[in-house]
Amino acid sequence: MIWNPNKECMPREQLRELQGKRLQKLVAYVYHNVPFYRHKMQEMDLMPEDIRSIDDIVKLPFTTKQDLRDNYPYGLMAAPKSEVVRVHASSGTTGNPTIVGYTRKDLAIWSEVMSRCLSAYGVTREDTFSVSYGYGLFTGGLGAHYGVENLGATVIPASTGNTEKHVRLIRDLKITGIACTPSYALYLAETVDKMGINKNDLSLRIGAFGAEPWTEHMRQEIQERLGLKGYNLYGLSEIMGPGVSCECEAQHGSHIHEDHFYPEIIDPVTLEPLPIGEQGELVFTTLTKEGMPLLRYRTKDLTSLMPGECACGRTSVRMTPIMGRSDDMLIIRGINVFPSQVESVILSMKEFEPRYMLVVDRVNNLDTLQVQVEVRRDYFNDDIGGMLALRKQLADKLKSVLSISADVKLMEPNSIQRSQGKSQRVIDKRVLV
Ligand code: ADP
Ligand code: K
Ligand code: ZN
């Protein structure tokens, strides 16, 4: 089923015209309401009137995550406070998290694009759909939740955690669809096995998987073990949250809802736009956003746009699966973790050397993070109680900064390997096949 054929199947020429109109309006809006953009455009000698069609988008300035941090918390907000009805945040690095704000219209569009995704997966009003992304500041939970409600299916706000209870609900409520990270889906499959439940006793048929990179290999395994079809769901909080793009029944590339989110692929080094089909950094302009609209936001996600038409009838362009990120960010259980966040916590405690190592692994299909850190000689002793307390203190601090728990391993002085030149601080043992 196609949720909004008018928009999703619009002839390309008509779509470009619509995008051009929306871009003109957007540029005038941010010029008048966001000093950051006004100044940037003034520096470039650019007036809103210089933007006449979607092709003129290349004249506009880029926006980076650093710009969001520099303007923390509300500096890039275009709508007045009275119009902002929701705030989300994505995990920050050493300093400030990234705050995003939504107006009522933004939330309606978010629900609309999420409903498009769910329809593309085959979800109908008869489905019972469990949302197992985290509910909270993270956009995953609430974003998917309101999409399911808007479509008219029954939403089960399961969130994450308590997996056995969740499995019983899946069985007892005959849950037919689930949104979660692909690694959580595998963990769920294992829990189902462990509880001695046969997948044929479950009614699962659709999975909406995203928030972290995953592979075709993983899709096959999840589909086989849970007896459902797994579809990609992509998004990021700066642009909206989940629902920026989604796979359709063809399971071949994710359609971008480009009447709202205009995509470009650029060379991450030269910043030049790349032709369709070439891989580079994905950049989005939020064509219709009111709360915190962004011009040419650099996602750091590496992908390509696919040429040609899709068998499903949608005309919107598709993107290939995310190949990785152009920075050093780790995605652990769907949460962004920067080595620099760990570093800042370690550096804030006098007991530790600034020597640490992050070991990321996947155990029983769940991502794990171990933080190995050297204790300063003055503080390193055989008082086990003291060492355990220190270990707990660091673990608690890390948990509050990273939003995920890490296994802390205290190392004796001089035990972490020193390197010549650039030090390696991350060992990622998860193999992406
Ligand atoms: P948070 O920072 O709170 O974890 P974000 O909204 O910042 O949440 O996460 C968005 C990022 O997650 C994307 O830029 C991308 O790197 C990754 N991501 C989201 N969905 C997918 C997906 N389907 N495939 C690969 N990566 C994804
Ligand atoms: K308000
Ligand atoms: Zn399609």
Side-chain angles (χ1 to χ4, degrees), residues 2-36:
I2 298 180
W3 180 255
N4 187 342
N6 257 341
K7 291 287 168 9
E8 294 177 78
C9 306
M10 191 178 259
R12 295 284 319 166
E13 234 165 78
Q14 210 179 315
L15 176 63
R16 287 192 74 78
E17 212 166 287
L18 176 70
Q19 289 169 328
K21 284 213 181 87
R22 289 181 169 177
L23 182 67
Q24 280 178 289
K25 215 173 133 188
L26 168 76
V27 171
Y29 176 64
V30 298
Y31 187 87
H32 291 110
N33 294 290
V34 187
F36 169 81

PDB file of all heavy atoms in Angstrom, residues 2-36:
ATOM      1  N   ILE A   2       0.457   2.238  -0.793  1.00  0.00           N
ATOM      2  CA  ILE A   2       1.185   3.508  -0.817  1.00  0.00           C
ATOM      3  C   ILE A   2       0.383   4.541  -0.032  1.00  0.00           C
ATOM      4  O   ILE A   2      -0.773   4.819  -0.358  1.00  0.00           O
ATOM      5  CB  ILE A   2       1.467   3.958  -2.270  1.00  0.00           C
ATOM      6  CG1 ILE A   2       2.365   2.910  -2.959  1.00  0.00           C
ATOM      7  CG2 ILE A   2       2.127   5.346  -2.289  1.00  0.00           C
ATOM      8  CD1 ILE A   2       2.731   3.214  -4.386  1.00  0.00           C
ATOM      9  N   TRP A   3       0.957   5.052   1.044  1.00  0.00           N
ATOM     10  CA  TRP A   3       0.239   5.911   1.984  1.00  0.00           C
ATOM     11  C   TRP A   3      -0.222   7.214   1.319  1.00  0.00           C
ATOM     12  O   TRP A   3      -1.344   7.645   1.490  1.00  0.00           O
ATOM     13  CB  TRP A   3       1.134   6.239   3.181  1.00  0.00           C
ATOM     14  CG  TRP A   3       0.509   7.104   4.220  1.00  0.00           C
ATOM     15  CD1 TRP A   3       0.772   8.425   4.438  1.00  0.00           C
ATOM     16  CD2 TRP A   3      -0.482   6.725   5.179  1.00  0.00           C
ATOM     17  NE1 TRP A   3       0.015   8.888   5.488  1.00  0.00           N
ATOM     18  CE2 TRP A   3      -0.764   7.859   5.959  1.00  0.00           C
ATOM     19  CE3 TRP A   3      -1.155   5.523   5.455  1.00  0.00           C
ATOM     20  CZ2 TRP A   3      -1.692   7.843   7.007  1.00  0.00           C
ATOM     21  CZ3 TRP A   3      -2.079   5.511   6.494  1.00  0.00           C
ATOM     22  CH2 TRP A   3      -2.343   6.657   7.249  1.00  0.00           C
ATOM     23  N   ASN A   4       0.679   7.849   0.565  1.00  0.00           N
ATOM     24  CA  ASN A   4       0.359   9.146  -0.031  1.00  0.00           C
ATOM     25  C   ASN A   4       0.813   9.163  -1.490  1.00  0.00           C
ATOM     26  O   ASN A   4       1.836   9.762  -1.839  1.00  0.00           O
ATOM     27  CB  ASN A   4       1.077  10.247   0.767  1.00  0.00           C
ATOM     28  CG  ASN A   4       0.672  11.636   0.336  1.00  0.00           C
ATOM     29  OD1 ASN A   4       0.128  11.824  -0.760  1.00  0.00           O
ATOM     30  ND2 ASN A   4       0.945  12.623   1.180  1.00  0.00           N
ATOM     31  N   PRO A   5       0.040   8.475  -2.376  1.00  0.00           N
ATOM     32  CA  PRO A   5       0.459   8.334  -3.771  1.00  0.00           C
ATOM     33  C   PRO A   5       0.697   9.686  -4.445  1.00  0.00           C
ATOM     34  O   PRO A   5       1.591   9.816  -5.297  1.00  0.00           O
ATOM     35  CB  PRO A   5      -0.705   7.594  -4.443  1.00  0.00           C
ATOM     36  CG  PRO A   5      -1.656   7.211  -3.380  1.00  0.00           C
ATOM     37  CD  PRO A   5      -1.250   7.826  -2.088  1.00  0.00           C
ATOM     38  N   ASN A   6      -0.078  10.706  -4.049  1.00  0.00           N
ATOM     39  CA  ASN A   6       0.091  12.035  -4.622  1.00  0.00           C
ATOM     40  C   ASN A   6       1.525  12.515  -4.546  1.00  0.00           C
ATOM     41  O   ASN A   6       2.061  13.080  -5.488  1.00  0.00           O
ATOM     42  CB  ASN A   6      -0.762  13.038  -3.830  1.00  0.00           C
ATOM     43  CG  ASN A   6      -2.002  13.388  -4.597  1.00  0.00           C
ATOM     44  OD1 ASN A   6      -2.058  13.181  -5.811  1.00  0.00           O
ATOM     45  ND2 ASN A   6      -2.997  13.909  -3.894  1.00  0.00           N
ATOM     46  N   LYS A   7       2.120  12.302  -3.362  1.00  0.00           N
ATOM     47  CA  LYS A   7       3.471  12.798  -3.128  1.00  0.00           C
ATOM     48  C   LYS A   7       4.506  11.740  -3.476  1.00  0.00           C
ATOM     49  O   LYS A   7       5.535  12.033  -4.079  1.00  0.00           O
ATOM     50  CB  LYS A   7       3.633  13.217  -1.658  1.00  0.00           C
ATOM     51  CG  LYS A   7       2.826  14.462  -1.302  1.00  0.00           C
ATOM     52  CD  LYS A   7       3.470  15.675  -1.896  1.00  0.00           C
ATOM     53  CE  LYS A   7       2.664  16.978  -1.879  1.00  0.00           C
ATOM     54  NZ  LYS A   7       1.456  17.072  -1.153  1.00  0.00           N
ATOM     55  N   GLU A   8       4.223  10.484  -3.097  1.00  0.00           N
ATOM     56  CA  GLU A   8       5.241   9.447  -3.261  1.00  0.00           C
ATOM     57  C   GLU A   8       5.424   9.016  -4.722  1.00  0.00           C
ATOM     58  O   GLU A   8       6.468   8.476  -5.069  1.00  0.00           O
ATOM     59  CB  GLU A   8       4.906   8.232  -2.386  1.00  0.00           C
ATOM     60  CG  GLU A   8       4.977   8.535  -0.902  1.00  0.00           C
ATOM     61  CD  GLU A   8       4.585   7.347  -0.038  1.00  0.00           C
ATOM     62  OE1 GLU A   8       5.421   6.443   0.117  1.00  0.00           O
ATOM     63  OE2 GLU A   8       3.438   7.307   0.462  1.00  0.00           O
ATOM     64  N   CYS A   9       4.394   9.238  -5.538  1.00  0.00           N
ATOM     65  CA  CYS A   9       4.481   8.813  -6.943  1.00  0.00           C
ATOM     66  C   CYS A   9       4.419  10.009  -7.893  1.00  0.00           C
ATOM     67  O   CYS A   9       4.109   9.864  -9.071  1.00  0.00           O
ATOM     68  CB  CYS A   9       3.359   7.834  -7.276  1.00  0.00           C
ATOM     69  SG  CYS A   9       3.280   6.434  -6.163  1.00  0.00           S
ATOM     70  N   MET A  10       4.701  11.181  -7.388  1.00  0.00           N
ATOM     71  CA  MET A  10       4.635  12.399  -8.184  1.00  0.00           C
ATOM     72  C   MET A  10       5.624  12.338  -9.350  1.00  0.00           C
ATOM     73  O   MET A  10       6.766  11.927  -9.162  1.00  0.00           O
ATOM     74  CB  MET A  10       4.991  13.571  -7.257  1.00  0.00           C
ATOM     75  CG  MET A  10       4.738  14.935  -7.815  1.00  0.00           C
ATOM     76  SD  MET A  10       5.159  16.193  -6.569  1.00  0.00           S
ATOM     77  CE  MET A  10       3.530  16.593  -5.974  1.00  0.00           C
ATOM     78  N   PRO A  11       5.193  12.729 -10.562  1.00  0.00           N
ATOM     79  CA  PRO A  11       6.167  12.766 -11.671  1.00  0.00           C
ATOM     80  C   PRO A  11       7.385  13.604 -11.271  1.00  0.00           C
ATOM     81  O   PRO A  11       7.235  14.639 -10.623  1.00  0.00           O
ATOM     82  CB  PRO A  11       5.379  13.443 -12.800  1.00  0.00           C
ATOM     83  CG  PRO A  11       3.943  13.205 -12.475  1.00  0.00           C
ATOM     84  CD  PRO A  11       3.854  13.145 -10.972  1.00  0.00           C
ATOM     85  N   ARG A  12       8.570  13.164 -11.663  1.00  0.00           N
ATOM     86  CA  ARG A  12       9.813  13.796 -11.190  1.00  0.00           C
ATOM     87  C   ARG A  12       9.866  15.298 -11.452  1.00  0.00           C
ATOM     88  O   ARG A  12      10.334  16.061 -10.627  1.00  0.00           O
ATOM     89  CB  ARG A  12      11.041  13.149 -11.867  1.00  0.00           C
ATOM     90  CG  ARG A  12      11.290  11.707 -11.525  1.00  0.00           C
ATOM     91  CD  ARG A  12      11.880  11.422 -10.178  1.00  0.00           C
ATOM     92  NE  ARG A  12      12.922  12.313  -9.716  1.00  0.00           N
ATOM     93  CZ  ARG A  12      13.338  12.337  -8.447  1.00  0.00           C
ATOM     94  NH1 ARG A  12      12.790  11.538  -7.550  1.00  0.00           N
ATOM     95  NH2 ARG A  12      14.280  13.165  -8.072  1.00  0.00           N
ATOM     96  N   GLU A  13       9.394  15.695 -12.639  1.00  0.00           N
ATOM     97  CA  GLU A  13       9.480  17.117 -12.974  1.00  0.00           C
ATOM     98  C   GLU A  13       8.633  17.958 -12.022  1.00  0.00           C
ATOM     99  O   GLU A  13       9.063  19.015 -11.553  1.00  0.00           O
ATOM    100  CB  GLU A  13       8.976  17.334 -14.397  1.00  0.00           C
ATOM    101  CG  GLU A  13       9.965  18.071 -15.267  1.00  0.00           C
ATOM    102  CD  GLU A  13       9.585  17.939 -16.724  1.00  0.00           C
ATOM    103  OE1 GLU A  13       8.661  18.666 -17.139  1.00  0.00           O
ATOM    104  OE2 GLU A  13      10.188  17.095 -17.419  1.00  0.00           O
ATOM    105  N   GLN A  14       7.442  17.446 -11.765  1.00  0.00           N
ATOM    106  CA  GLN A  14       6.523  18.137 -10.853  1.00  0.00           C
ATOM    107  C   GLN A  14       7.120  18.195  -9.447  1.00  0.00           C
ATOM    108  O   GLN A  14       7.004  19.194  -8.744  1.00  0.00           O
ATOM    109  CB  GLN A  14       5.220  17.351 -10.834  1.00  0.00           C
ATOM    110  CG  GLN A  14       3.978  18.158 -10.574  1.00  0.00           C
ATOM    111  CD  GLN A  14       2.766  17.225 -10.612  1.00  0.00           C
ATOM    112  OE1 GLN A  14       2.640  16.378 -11.500  1.00  0.00           O
ATOM    113  NE2 GLN A  14       1.881  17.371  -9.627  1.00  0.00           N
ATOM    114  N   LEU A  15       7.783  17.088  -9.062  1.00  0.00           N
ATOM    115  CA  LEU A  15       8.401  17.023  -7.741  1.00  0.00           C
ATOM    116  C   LEU A  15       9.511  18.077  -7.617  1.00  0.00           C
ATOM    117  O   LEU A  15       9.593  18.793  -6.614  1.00  0.00           O
ATOM    118  CB  LEU A  15       8.977  15.622  -7.494  1.00  0.00           C
ATOM    119  CG  LEU A  15       9.746  15.424  -6.183  1.00  0.00           C
ATOM    120  CD1 LEU A  15       8.837  15.624  -4.967  1.00  0.00           C
ATOM    121  CD2 LEU A  15      10.380  14.034  -6.126  1.00  0.00           C
ATOM    122  N   ARG A  16      10.313  18.199  -8.659  1.00  0.00           N
ATOM    123  CA  ARG A  16      11.395  19.185  -8.594  1.00  0.00           C
ATOM    124  C   ARG A  16      10.852  20.606  -8.505  1.00  0.00           C
ATOM    125  O   ARG A  16      11.418  21.468  -7.843  1.00  0.00           O
ATOM    126  CB  ARG A  16      12.355  19.026  -9.790  1.00  0.00           C
ATOM    127  CG  ARG A  16      13.225  17.785  -9.646  1.00  0.00           C
ATOM    128  CD  ARG A  16      14.368  17.742 -10.640  1.00  0.00           C
ATOM    129  NE  ARG A  16      15.460  18.666 -10.322  1.00  0.00           N
ATOM    130  CZ  ARG A  16      16.383  18.443  -9.382  1.00  0.00           C
ATOM    131  NH1 ARG A  16      16.344  17.358  -8.630  1.00  0.00           N
ATOM    132  NH2 ARG A  16      17.353  19.324  -9.193  1.00  0.00           N
ATOM    133  N   GLU A  17       9.731  20.814  -9.156  1.00  0.00           N
ATOM    134  CA  GLU A  17       9.111  22.124  -9.074  1.00  0.00           C
ATOM    135  C   GLU A  17       8.639  22.412  -7.645  1.00  0.00           C
ATOM    136  O   GLU A  17       8.863  23.494  -7.104  1.00  0.00           O
ATOM    137  CB  GLU A  17       7.911  22.164 -10.024  1.00  0.00           C
ATOM    138  CG  GLU A  17       7.656  23.530 -10.613  1.00  0.00           C
ATOM    139  CD  GLU A  17       6.688  23.414 -11.777  1.00  0.00           C
ATOM    140  OE1 GLU A  17       7.102  22.908 -12.845  1.00  0.00           O
ATOM    141  OE2 GLU A  17       5.517  23.790 -11.580  1.00  0.00           O
ATOM    142  N   LEU A  18       8.021  21.397  -7.041  1.00  0.00           N
ATOM    143  CA  LEU A  18       7.551  21.529  -5.654  1.00  0.00           C
ATOM    144  C   LEU A  18       8.745  21.767  -4.716  1.00  0.00           C
ATOM    145  O   LEU A  18       8.705  22.633  -3.825  1.00  0.00           O
ATOM    146  CB  LEU A  18       6.799  20.257  -5.244  1.00  0.00           C
ATOM    147  CG  LEU A  18       6.311  20.192  -3.794  1.00  0.00           C
ATOM    148  CD1 LEU A  18       5.173  21.190  -3.565  1.00  0.00           C
ATOM    149  CD2 LEU A  18       5.841  18.787  -3.433  1.00  0.00           C
ATOM    150  N   GLN A  19       9.805  20.998  -4.922  1.00  0.00           N
ATOM    151  CA  GLN A  19      11.000  21.163  -4.087  1.00  0.00           C
ATOM    152  C   GLN A  19      11.561  22.577  -4.224  1.00  0.00           C
ATOM    153  O   GLN A  19      11.962  23.190  -3.238  1.00  0.00           O
ATOM    154  CB  GLN A  19      12.066  20.136  -4.491  1.00  0.00           C
ATOM    155  CG  GLN A  19      11.706  18.710  -4.100  1.00  0.00           C
ATOM    156  CD  GLN A  19      12.631  17.678  -4.733  1.00  0.00           C
ATOM    157  OE1 GLN A  19      13.141  17.877  -5.849  1.00  0.00           O
ATOM    158  NE2 GLN A  19      12.835  16.561  -4.052  1.00  0.00           N
ATOM    159  N   GLY A  20      11.563  23.095  -5.434  1.00  0.00           N
ATOM    160  CA  GLY A  20      12.067  24.442  -5.681  1.00  0.00           C
ATOM    161  C   GLY A  20      11.244  25.481  -4.933  1.00  0.00           C
ATOM    162  O   GLY A  20      11.789  26.377  -4.276  1.00  0.00           O
ATOM    163  N   LYS A  21       9.921  25.364  -5.015  1.00  0.00           N
ATOM    164  CA  LYS A  21       9.034  26.302  -4.315  1.00  0.00           C
ATOM    165  C   LYS A  21       9.273  26.244  -2.814  1.00  0.00           C
ATOM    166  O   LYS A  21       9.352  27.268  -2.137  1.00  0.00           O
ATOM    167  CB  LYS A  21       7.571  25.943  -4.594  1.00  0.00           C
ATOM    168  CG  LYS A  21       7.099  26.351  -5.968  1.00  0.00           C
ATOM    169  CD  LYS A  21       5.613  26.737  -5.945  1.00  0.00           C
ATOM    170  CE  LYS A  21       5.143  27.126  -7.343  1.00  0.00           C
ATOM    171  NZ  LYS A  21       4.700  25.932  -8.121  1.00  0.00           N
ATOM    172  N   ARG A  22       9.366  25.030  -2.300  1.00  0.00           N
ATOM    173  CA  ARG A  22       9.559  24.868  -0.853  1.00  0.00           C
ATOM    174  C   ARG A  22      10.925  25.402  -0.425  1.00  0.00           C
ATOM    175  O   ARG A  22      11.053  25.984   0.654  1.00  0.00           O
ATOM    176  CB  ARG A  22       9.397  23.395  -0.460  1.00  0.00           C
ATOM    177  CG  ARG A  22       7.939  22.962  -0.552  1.00  0.00           C
ATOM    178  CD  ARG A  22       7.705  21.523  -0.144  1.00  0.00           C
ATOM    179  NE  ARG A  22       6.266  21.278   0.000  1.00  0.00           N
ATOM    180  CZ  ARG A  22       5.723  20.111   0.300  1.00  0.00           C
ATOM    181  NH1 ARG A  22       6.493  19.055   0.497  1.00  0.00           N
ATOM    182  NH2 ARG A  22       4.424  19.991   0.420  1.00  0.00           N
ATOM    183  N   LEU A  23      11.920  25.209  -1.266  1.00  0.00           N
ATOM    184  CA  LEU A  23      13.256  25.706  -0.930  1.00  0.00           C
ATOM    185  C   LEU A  23      13.267  27.236  -0.864  1.00  0.00           C
ATOM    186  O   LEU A  23      13.834  27.828   0.055  1.00  0.00           O
ATOM    187  CB  LEU A  23      14.285  25.216  -1.956  1.00  0.00           C
ATOM    188  CG  LEU A  23      15.732  25.644  -1.654  1.00  0.00           C
ATOM    189  CD1 LEU A  23      16.258  24.967  -0.392  1.00  0.00           C
ATOM    190  CD2 LEU A  23      16.660  25.329  -2.831  1.00  0.00           C
ATOM    191  N   GLN A  24      12.622  27.869  -1.828  1.00  0.00           N
ATOM    192  CA  GLN A  24      12.559  29.343  -1.834  1.00  0.00           C
ATOM    193  C   GLN A  24      11.948  29.852  -0.531  1.00  0.00           C
ATOM    194  O   GLN A  24      12.455  30.780   0.095  1.00  0.00           O
ATOM    195  CB  GLN A  24      11.685  29.826  -2.996  1.00  0.00           C
ATOM    196  CG  GLN A  24      12.396  29.833  -4.330  1.00  0.00           C
ATOM    197  CD  GLN A  24      11.457  30.276  -5.441  1.00  0.00           C
ATOM    198  OE1 GLN A  24      10.550  29.541  -5.815  1.00  0.00           O
ATOM    199  NE2 GLN A  24      11.679  31.477  -5.954  1.00  0.00           N
ATOM    200  N   LYS A  25      10.848  29.210  -0.157  1.00  0.00           N
ATOM    201  CA  LYS A  25      10.148  29.618   1.063  1.00  0.00           C
ATOM    202  C   LYS A  25      11.028  29.394   2.295  1.00  0.00           C
ATOM    203  O   LYS A  25      11.114  30.238   3.191  1.00  0.00           O
ATOM    204  CB  LYS A  25       8.858  28.779   1.173  1.00  0.00           C
ATOM    205  CG  LYS A  25       7.696  29.537   1.785  1.00  0.00           C
ATOM    206  CD  LYS A  25       6.429  28.706   1.689  1.00  0.00           C
ATOM    207  CE  LYS A  25       5.722  28.719   3.034  1.00  0.00           C
ATOM    208  NZ  LYS A  25       4.585  27.797   3.103  1.00  0.00           N
ATOM    209  N   LEU A  26      11.694  28.245   2.298  1.00  0.00           N
ATOM    210  CA  LEU A  26      12.553  27.893   3.429  1.00  0.00           C
ATOM    211  C   LEU A  26      13.698  28.891   3.604  1.00  0.00           C
ATOM    212  O   LEU A  26      13.982  29.334   4.720  1.00  0.00           O
ATOM    213  CB  LEU A  26      13.122  26.480   3.204  1.00  0.00           C
ATOM    214  CG  LEU A  26      14.252  26.073   4.150  1.00  0.00           C
ATOM    215  CD1 LEU A  26      13.691  25.731   5.524  1.00  0.00           C
ATOM    216  CD2 LEU A  26      15.039  24.890   3.594  1.00  0.00           C
ATOM    217  N   VAL A  27      14.324  29.243   2.485  1.00  0.00           N
ATOM    218  CA  VAL A  27      15.488  30.125   2.559  1.00  0.00           C
ATOM    219  C   VAL A  27      15.070  31.503   3.083  1.00  0.00           C
ATOM    220  O   VAL A  27      15.736  32.087   3.941  1.00  0.00           O
ATOM    221  CB  VAL A  27      16.198  30.217   1.189  1.00  0.00           C
ATOM    222  CG1 VAL A  27      17.270  31.297   1.209  1.00  0.00           C
ATOM    223  CG2 VAL A  27      16.829  28.876   0.840  1.00  0.00           C
ATOM    224  N   ALA A  28      13.941  31.999   2.609  1.00  0.00           N
ATOM    225  CA  ALA A  28      13.454  33.291   3.112  1.00  0.00           C
ATOM    226  C   ALA A  28      13.145  33.183   4.610  1.00  0.00           C
ATOM    227  O   ALA A  28      13.462  34.082   5.395  1.00  0.00           O
ATOM    228  CB  ALA A  28      12.210  33.716   2.336  1.00  0.00           C
ATOM    229  N   TYR A  29      12.574  32.053   4.996  1.00  0.00           N
ATOM    230  CA  TYR A  29      12.197  31.826   6.407  1.00  0.00           C
ATOM    231  C   TYR A  29      13.422  31.810   7.323  1.00  0.00           C
ATOM    232  O   TYR A  29      13.451  32.494   8.351  1.00  0.00           O
ATOM    233  CB  TYR A  29      11.428  30.505   6.482  1.00  0.00           C
ATOM    234  CG  TYR A  29      11.013  30.030   7.855  1.00  0.00           C
ATOM    235  CD1 TYR A  29      10.112  30.761   8.632  1.00  0.00           C
ATOM    236  CD2 TYR A  29      11.493  28.821   8.360  1.00  0.00           C
ATOM    237  CE1 TYR A  29       9.708  30.306   9.888  1.00  0.00           C
ATOM    238  CE2 TYR A  29      11.093  28.359   9.613  1.00  0.00           C
ATOM    239  CZ  TYR A  29      10.210  29.103  10.363  1.00  0.00           C
ATOM    240  OH  TYR A  29       9.814  28.651  11.597  1.00  0.00           O
ATOM    241  N   VAL A  30      14.452  31.055   6.942  1.00  0.00           N
ATOM    242  CA  VAL A  30      15.624  30.993   7.834  1.00  0.00           C
ATOM    243  C   VAL A  30      16.414  32.309   7.795  1.00  0.00           C
ATOM    244  O   VAL A  30      16.993  32.720   8.791  1.00  0.00           O
ATOM    245  CB  VAL A  30      16.562  29.784   7.550  1.00  0.00           C
ATOM    246  CG1 VAL A  30      15.829  28.472   7.761  1.00  0.00           C
ATOM    247  CG2 VAL A  30      17.170  29.840   6.162  1.00  0.00           C
ATOM    248  N   TYR A  31      16.394  32.970   6.634  1.00  0.00           N
ATOM    249  CA  TYR A  31      17.112  34.257   6.525  1.00  0.00           C
ATOM    250  C   TYR A  31      16.536  35.258   7.531  1.00  0.00           C
ATOM    251  O   TYR A  31      17.267  36.002   8.179  1.00  0.00           O
ATOM    252  CB  TYR A  31      16.979  34.795   5.101  1.00  0.00           C
ATOM    253  CG  TYR A  31      17.826  36.023   4.821  1.00  0.00           C
ATOM    254  CD1 TYR A  31      19.146  35.891   4.400  1.00  0.00           C
ATOM    255  CD2 TYR A  31      17.315  37.313   4.987  1.00  0.00           C
ATOM    256  CE1 TYR A  31      19.940  37.000   4.140  1.00  0.00           C
ATOM    257  CE2 TYR A  31      18.095  38.431   4.734  1.00  0.00           C
ATOM    258  CZ  TYR A  31      19.407  38.265   4.312  1.00  0.00           C
ATOM    259  OH  TYR A  31      20.190  39.369   4.060  1.00  0.00           O
ATOM    260  N   HIS A  32      15.243  35.237   7.674  1.00  0.00           N
ATOM    261  CA  HIS A  32      14.608  36.201   8.569  1.00  0.00           C
ATOM    262  C   HIS A  32      14.559  35.760  10.025  1.00  0.00           C
ATOM    263  O   HIS A  32      14.433  36.591  10.912  1.00  0.00           O
ATOM    264  CB  HIS A  32      13.202  36.544   8.062  1.00  0.00           C
ATOM    265  CG  HIS A  32      13.249  37.347   6.791  1.00  0.00           C
ATOM    266  ND1 HIS A  32      12.867  36.834   5.562  1.00  0.00           N
ATOM    267  CD2 HIS A  32      13.693  38.600   6.554  1.00  0.00           C
ATOM    268  CE1 HIS A  32      13.062  37.750   4.628  1.00  0.00           C
ATOM    269  NE2 HIS A  32      13.566  38.831   5.204  1.00  0.00           N
ATOM    270  N   ASN A  33      14.653  34.454  10.273  1.00  0.00           N
ATOM    271  CA  ASN A  33      14.448  33.973  11.639  1.00  0.00           C
ATOM    272  C   ASN A  33      15.664  33.348  12.322  1.00  0.00           C
ATOM    273  O   ASN A  33      15.623  33.101  13.527  1.00  0.00           O
ATOM    274  CB  ASN A  33      13.290  32.963  11.667  1.00  0.00           C
ATOM    275  CG  ASN A  33      11.974  33.620  11.323  1.00  0.00           C
ATOM    276  OD1 ASN A  33      11.446  34.417  12.106  1.00  0.00           O
ATOM    277  ND2 ASN A  33      11.448  33.347  10.142  1.00  0.00           N
ATOM    278  N   VAL A  34      16.698  33.046  11.549  1.00  0.00           N
ATOM    279  CA  VAL A  34      17.872  32.409  12.157  1.00  0.00           C
ATOM    280  C   VAL A  34      19.115  33.260  11.845  1.00  0.00           C
ATOM    281  O   VAL A  34      19.643  33.206  10.731  1.00  0.00           O
ATOM    282  CB  VAL A  34      18.066  30.965  11.620  1.00  0.00           C
ATOM    283  CG1 VAL A  34      19.191  30.262  12.379  1.00  0.00           C
ATOM    284  CG2 VAL A  34      16.771  30.169  11.702  1.00  0.00           C
ATOM    285  N   PRO A  35      19.591  34.037  12.819  1.00  0.00           N
ATOM    286  CA  PRO A  35      20.753  34.905  12.577  1.00  0.00           C
ATOM    287  C   PRO A  35      21.951  34.135  12.014  1.00  0.00           C
ATOM    288  O   PRO A  35      22.663  34.639  11.154  1.00  0.00           O
ATOM    289  CB  PRO A  35      21.063  35.474  13.961  1.00  0.00           C
ATOM    290  CG  PRO A  35      19.767  35.413  14.694  1.00  0.00           C
ATOM    291  CD  PRO A  35      19.035  34.219  14.169  1.00  0.00           C
ATOM    292  N   PHE A  36      22.132  32.908  12.496  1.00  0.00           N
ATOM    293  CA  PHE A  36      23.237  32.073  12.006  1.00  0.00           C
ATOM    294  C   PHE A  36      23.218  31.974  10.475  1.00  0.00           C
ATOM    295  O   PHE A  36      24.238  32.153   9.809  1.00  0.00           O
ATOM    296  CB  PHE A  36      23.135  30.682  12.646  1.00  0.00           C
ATOM    297  CG  PHE A  36      24.035  29.638  12.038  1.00  0.00           C
ATOM    298  CD1 PHE A  36      25.377  29.549  12.396  1.00  0.00           C
ATOM    299  CD2 PHE A  36      23.533  28.733  11.104  1.00  0.00           C
ATOM    300  CE1 PHE A  36      26.198  28.582  11.842  1.00  0.00           C
ATOM    301  CE2 PHE A  36      24.351  27.761  10.544  1.00  0.00           C
ATOM    302  CZ  PHE A  36      25.677  27.685  10.917  1.00  0.00           C
TER     303      PHE A  36
END
